Amino acid sequence: MWCQSCKEEYEEEDAGTCKECYEEASETEEELKREIDDLRSRLHFLRLPSPTLDAASAPHSDLLLHAIPSCSSSGAGGDGDAARVPDTPAVPAHRVILASRSPVFRAMLENEMEESRSGIIKIYDVSYDVLRAFVHYMYTAEALLDEQMASDLLVLAEKYEVKHLKAYCEKFITSKVNNDNAITHYAFAHRHSAKQLLESSLSVLMDNMSTLADREEYKELVEKDPRLVVEIYEAYLNRQVNTAAGKDTDCSGRK
C-alpha cells in the first residue's frame, strides 16, 4: 500500500499512513496541543478580574516603579541611600494591571499603604532592565529571555507571586540545562522551589556522576550547602538500587 502522506510504499494494510508519518503526525498534534494550552494560559493571565477594572479607562499610568539595585540598598550610606529614589528612569504602570496580576501588589495597592498613597513603588535588589521586563510581562505575558534574565525574573516573580511568569521562566531555564550548568541550576531551583528545574538538573547530574566531584561548582556547593550534595548522592543511589531491582526482576521472569 501507499502512504497518503509521503506517498511511499509500506507493508501495513490497516492504516492510511506509514509508521514514520504516523509518528510525525502524532508529534505535531502534541506540539499543537501544547501551544494551545500555552495560549490559553496566557489569555487567562492577561484577563482582568472584573469588567469594571479596565486599564483603558486610565489612559495615563498612575504608578511609578523604581528599581533599587542591591548595591544601593546596602551601600555605605545606609538607610538614607535605601530611601533615595535612584537615578535610573522610573517604569510606569497602571495599578489595576499590577493588582490583577499579583496578590502582593493587590494587597499593597488596595490598602492604605505608602505605595498606594504616593503611587511610587520601590523594587529592591533588581536592575532597571529586569524591572522593565517584569512590568512588560504584566501587560503582554511575553519576555525576551536569556538565562540570566530568566533567573532574575523568576526571583522577582516568586517575590510578587506572579505564578505564570515564574513558570514561564522556569520552563526556559529548564530547556537550557546541561552538564556545565546543572549544579548551579540545581542549587537555584532548591532556593526558589522550582520543581521542574530541580528534576531536570538532578537528572543531568546523575547522568554525569563520574565527573561531578571534579567541577569547581561542586566544590563550592560542598562549602556553601553540603546538604544538597547529600541529596544528589542519595538520589543517585536510589536510582542505582531501582535499576538493580529492575534487572533482578527481569532475570527472575526469564527463569
Side-chain angles (χ1 to χ4, degrees), residues 103-159:
V104 176
F105 281 125
R106 185 183 308 121
M108 181 187 299
L109 297 170
E110 291 182 352
N111 294 297
E112 287 300 313
M113 299 181 68
E114 173 62 28
E115 292 85 354
S116 181
R117 294 193 299 270
S118 68
I120 295 176
I121 300 177
K122 297 173 185 176
I123 310 294
Y124 291 93
D125 301 327
V126 66
S127 71
Y128 168 74
D129 289 339
V130 172
L131 177 58
R132 186 173 59 176
F134 177 69
V135 173
H136 179 77
Y137 191 90
M138 297 293 224
Y139 283 83
T140 65
E142 294 181 347
L144 183 61
L145 300 178
D146 56 29
E147 287 186 61
Q148 186 60 55
M149 177 62 77
S151 298
D152 291 341
L153 282 176
L154 187 149
V155 173
L156 201 54
E158 181 181 39
K159 180 179 179 180

Side-chain angles (χ1 to χ4, degrees), residues 4-48:
Q4 296 178 8
S5 298
C6 66
K7 308 306 180 184
E8 295 290 335
E9 188 175 7
Y10 68 101
E11 296 180 357
E12 286 83 359
E13 299 179 359
D14 58 347
T17 60
C18 63
K19 181 180 179 181
E20 289 76 11
C21 288
Y22 177 80
E23 291 176 348
E24 183 177 348
S26 297
E27 291 175 0
T28 302
E29 183 179 359
E30 288 300 317
E31 184 176 346
L32 286 173
K33 287 180 179 178
R34 287 193 295 269
E35 290 180 359
I36 291 171
D37 288 342
D38 179 62
L39 287 172
R40 285 175 176 168
S41 176
R42 290 173 61 189
L43 286 172
H44 180 74
F45 173 74
L46 293 172
R47 187 179 298 121
L48 293 173

